[in-house]
Amino acid sequence: DDFAVNCADVTGDGAINVLDIVAIVNSILGDRSVDASSVRLIKSGSALNLSADGFIGGVQMTLSHGSDFSIELTDRAMVADYRTEGNETTLIIVAPESDELFIADGEYEIIDVIVANSEGEMDVVKPSSFELSEAYPNPFNPSTSINLSVPEAGYVSVMVYNVMGRLVSTLADGHMNASDYSFTWDASAVPSGVYLITAAAENHTSTQKVMLLK
């Protein structure tokens, strides 16, 4: 009823969501660390990670997906729960203690997201240009990781070539939604040397040079 709704709306913004939960937790426990000022969501294989430069009080997200979708939330949080109705899943994670928010089986699209520090809702940084980050570690043995920013949905490929231009590994090849992604290349099966990681989309190409030292 209206009384219960008004009691739940701790922030007084007319909506009941994760911001109210964060406000309740903060009123009980108080400030515990330096608040994050920047936050990004990064898809890494089947996992969705949150990259922030400080404390995150909570995350609420709505996902759109097919009937074959399943999800496993992090167990390193004060609260982590979700509810699926038809082809939509709403999840809430309070005070996450790790970068990984969940692992999903099946394709999904994020249609709504709220991320909050102790002060309230934050803007999630979205990709503004198509580019690969510098690989880390580099030089490496036997694996290295690299991030890709995709500002517009579309076909994207991420390939690894040797200095002769021969394809040695495919990290991604297909449709991608606008987001940040992380890829790890395991080079155990190839010899030491210099390699080129190249990401390509319509009208965009970005390349990083990496060195494998065994």
Side-chain angles (χ1 to χ4, degrees):
D1 55 23
D2 289 342
F3 177 76
V5 170
N6 291 333
C7 289
D9 185 13
V10 178
T11 61
D13 61 0
I16 301 173
N17 52 37
V18 73
L19 300 178
D20 301 297
I21 301 174
V22 172
I24 293 172
V25 171
N26 289 338
S27 68
I28 297 172
L29 299 181
D31 293 338
R32 288 160 288 163
S33 58
V34 177
D35 270 337
S37 61
S38 176
V39 60
R40 305 179 79 105
L41 295 174
I42 301 174
K43 293 183 177 180
S44 178
S46 59
L48 181 70
N49 297 330
L50 182 147
S51 176
D53 59 357
F55 173 73
I56 294 296
V59 178
Q60 179 175 324
M61 199 176 299
T62 301
L63 311 176
S64 175
H65 51 75
S67 58
D68 58 346
F69 178 81
S70 64
I71 189 170
E72 180 180 349
L73 301 186
T74 178
D75 57 3
R76 296 183 59 190
M78 184 177 296
V79 175
D81 205 354
Y82 71 93
R83 179 176 180 178
T84 298
E85 292 186 353
N87 291 332
E88 286 193 359
T89 293
T90 299
L91 63 92
I92 288 180
I93 300 173
V94 178
E97 298 177 1
S98 66
D99 291 343
E100 185 178 285
L101 297 179
F102 63 78
I103 296 174
D105 184 11
E107 297 295 323
Y108 65 89
E109 181 178 357
I110 300 172
I111 60 176
D112 185 52
V113 61
I114 299 172
V115 179
N117 58 20
S118 66
E119 296 296 321
E121 185 172 359
M122 302 176 59
D123 290 331
V124 178
V125 178
K126 297 180 179 179
S128 59
S129 60
F130 184 87
E131 62 178 329
L132 280 171
S133 70
E134 293 185 3
Y136 182 83
N138 187 26
F140 69 99
N141 180 29
S143 62
T144 187
S145 296
I146 196 164
N147 293 337
L148 172 65
S149 296
V150 180
E152 297 179 357
Y155 170 80
V156 178
S157 66
V158 183
M159 310 288 193
V160 183
Y161 300 90
N162 62 20
V163 291
M164 302 299 292
R166 182 177 298 131
L167 177 67
V168 297
S169 182
T170 299
L171 304 182
D173 187 24
H175 179 85
M176 288 188 184
N177 294 316
S179 186
D180 288 306
Y181 296 84
S182 178
F183 301 96
T184 298
W185 178 40
D186 184 347
S188 301
V190 298
S192 298
V194 174
Y195 294 88
L196 301 175
I197 302 177
T198 299
E202 186 177 2
N203 301 322
H204 297 286
T205 302
S206 183
T207 299
Q208 289 291 330
K209 183 186 295 183
V210 295
M211 180 176 292
L212 172 63
L213 295 178
K214 291 186 174 180

